[in-house]
Short mmCIF file of all heavy atoms in Angstrom, two decimals:
data_model
loop_
_atom_site.label_atom_id
_atom_site.label_comp_id
_atom_site.label_asym_id
_atom_site.label_seq_id
_atom_site.Cartn_x
_atom_site.Cartn_y
_atom_site.Cartn_z
N LEU A 444 14.47 27.14 2.82
CA LEU A 444 15.48 26.13 3.13
C LEU A 444 16.05 26.32 4.53
O LEU A 444 16.30 25.35 5.26
CB LEU A 444 16.61 26.18 2.09
CG LEU A 444 16.25 25.67 0.68
CD1 LEU A 444 17.36 25.97 -0.30
CD2 LEU A 444 15.95 24.17 0.70
N ILE A 445 16.23 27.59 4.93
CA ILE A 445 16.74 27.87 6.28
C ILE A 445 15.75 27.36 7.33
O ILE A 445 16.13 26.74 8.34
CB ILE A 445 17.00 29.38 6.44
CG1 ILE A 445 18.19 29.80 5.59
CG2 ILE A 445 17.25 29.73 7.91
CD1 ILE A 445 18.39 31.30 5.49
N LYS A 446 14.46 27.58 7.08
CA LYS A 446 13.43 27.11 8.01
C LYS A 446 13.42 25.59 8.12
O LYS A 446 13.00 25.04 9.15
CB LYS A 446 12.06 27.63 7.57
CG LYS A 446 11.88 29.12 7.79
CD LYS A 446 10.54 29.59 7.27
CE LYS A 446 10.38 31.10 7.45
NZ LYS A 446 9.11 31.60 6.87
N LYS A 447 13.87 24.93 7.06
CA LYS A 447 13.91 23.46 7.07
C LYS A 447 15.22 22.93 7.66
O LYS A 447 15.46 21.73 7.65
CB LYS A 447 13.69 22.91 5.66
CG LYS A 447 12.33 23.29 5.08
CD LYS A 447 11.91 22.34 3.97
CE LYS A 447 11.46 21.01 4.53
NZ LYS A 447 10.76 20.16 3.57
N GLY A 448 16.07 23.82 8.13
CA GLY A 448 17.30 23.39 8.79
C GLY A 448 18.55 23.42 7.95
O GLY A 448 19.63 23.06 8.43
N TYR A 449 18.45 23.85 6.70
CA TYR A 449 19.63 23.96 5.85
C TYR A 449 20.30 25.32 6.05
O TYR A 449 19.69 26.26 6.54
CB TYR A 449 19.25 23.79 4.37
CG TYR A 449 18.64 22.45 4.06
CD1 TYR A 449 17.27 22.32 3.82
CD2 TYR A 449 19.41 21.30 3.99
CE1 TYR A 449 16.69 21.09 3.53
CE2 TYR A 449 18.85 20.06 3.70
CZ TYR A 449 17.49 19.97 3.47
OH TYR A 449 16.93 18.75 3.19
N LYS A 450 21.56 25.42 5.66
CA LYS A 450 22.30 26.66 5.79
C LYS A 450 22.47 27.31 4.42
O LYS A 450 22.78 26.64 3.43
CB LYS A 450 23.69 26.41 6.39
CG LYS A 450 23.68 25.93 7.83
CD LYS A 450 25.12 25.72 8.32
CE LYS A 450 25.14 25.22 9.75
NZ LYS A 450 26.53 24.95 10.21
N VAL A 451 22.25 28.61 4.36
CA VAL A 451 22.55 29.40 3.15
C VAL A 451 23.83 30.17 3.44
O VAL A 451 23.92 30.89 4.43
CB VAL A 451 21.39 30.35 2.81
CG1 VAL A 451 21.81 31.33 1.71
CG2 VAL A 451 20.17 29.55 2.36
N LEU A 452 24.83 30.00 2.58
CA LEU A 452 26.17 30.50 2.86
C LEU A 452 26.42 31.91 2.35
O LEU A 452 27.49 32.46 2.58
CB LEU A 452 27.21 29.54 2.28
CG LEU A 452 27.09 28.08 2.76
CD1 LEU A 452 28.21 27.24 2.16
CD2 LEU A 452 27.11 27.99 4.28
N ASN A 453 25.46 32.49 1.67
CA ASN A 453 25.64 33.84 1.13
C ASN A 453 25.20 34.89 2.13
O ASN A 453 24.25 34.68 2.89
CB ASN A 453 24.84 34.01 -0.17
CG ASN A 453 25.27 33.08 -1.26
OD1 ASN A 453 25.09 31.88 -1.16
ND2 ASN A 453 25.83 33.63 -2.31
N GLU A 454 25.88 36.04 2.07
CA GLU A 454 25.45 37.20 2.86
C GLU A 454 24.54 38.09 2.03
O GLU A 454 23.50 38.54 2.49
CB GLU A 454 26.66 37.98 3.34
CG GLU A 454 27.53 37.22 4.36
CD GLU A 454 28.68 38.07 4.85
OE1 GLU A 454 28.70 39.29 4.57
OE2 GLU A 454 29.57 37.51 5.52
N ASN A 455 24.94 38.38 0.80
CA ASN A 455 24.14 39.20 -0.12
C ASN A 455 24.10 38.51 -1.48
O ASN A 455 25.14 38.23 -2.06
CB ASN A 455 24.75 40.59 -0.27
CG ASN A 455 24.79 41.35 1.03
OD1 ASN A 455 23.75 41.70 1.58
ND2 ASN A 455 25.99 41.61 1.55
N PHE A 456 22.91 38.24 -1.97
CA PHE A 456 22.80 37.59 -3.27
C PHE A 456 21.60 38.14 -4.03
O PHE A 456 20.70 38.76 -3.45
CB PHE A 456 22.71 36.07 -3.12
CG PHE A 456 21.49 35.56 -2.40
CD1 PHE A 456 20.35 35.19 -3.10
CD2 PHE A 456 21.47 35.44 -1.01
CE1 PHE A 456 19.22 34.72 -2.45
CE2 PHE A 456 20.36 34.97 -0.35
CZ PHE A 456 19.22 34.61 -1.06
N PHE A 457 21.61 37.91 -5.33
CA PHE A 457 20.54 38.38 -6.20
C PHE A 457 19.56 37.24 -6.47
O PHE A 457 18.52 37.18 -5.85
CB PHE A 457 21.13 38.93 -7.51
CG PHE A 457 20.10 39.59 -8.40
CD1 PHE A 457 19.70 40.90 -8.16
CD2 PHE A 457 19.57 38.92 -9.48
CE1 PHE A 457 18.76 41.51 -8.97
CE2 PHE A 457 18.64 39.52 -10.31
CZ PHE A 457 18.22 40.81 -10.06
N ASN A 458 19.93 36.34 -7.36
CA ASN A 458 19.01 35.23 -7.67
C ASN A 458 19.69 33.86 -7.61
O ASN A 458 19.13 32.88 -8.06
CB ASN A 458 18.41 35.42 -9.07
CG ASN A 458 19.41 35.18 -10.18
OD1 ASN A 458 20.53 35.70 -10.12
ND2 ASN A 458 19.03 34.42 -11.19
N GLU A 459 20.87 33.82 -7.01
CA GLU A 459 21.62 32.57 -6.97
C GLU A 459 22.36 32.51 -5.64
O GLU A 459 22.91 33.51 -5.18
CB GLU A 459 22.61 32.52 -8.14
CG GLU A 459 23.14 31.15 -8.47
CD GLU A 459 23.79 31.10 -9.84
OE1 GLU A 459 24.08 32.18 -10.41
OE2 GLU A 459 24.01 30.00 -10.35
#
Side-chain angles (χ1 to χ4, degrees):
L444 289 171
I445 290 170
K446 288 177 182 176
K447 298 202 75 167
Y449 299 105
K450 293 180 181 178
V451 170
L452 304 182
N453 298 68
E454 294 182 10
N455 298 294
F456 64 93
F457 186 81
N458 71 313
E459 198 164 15

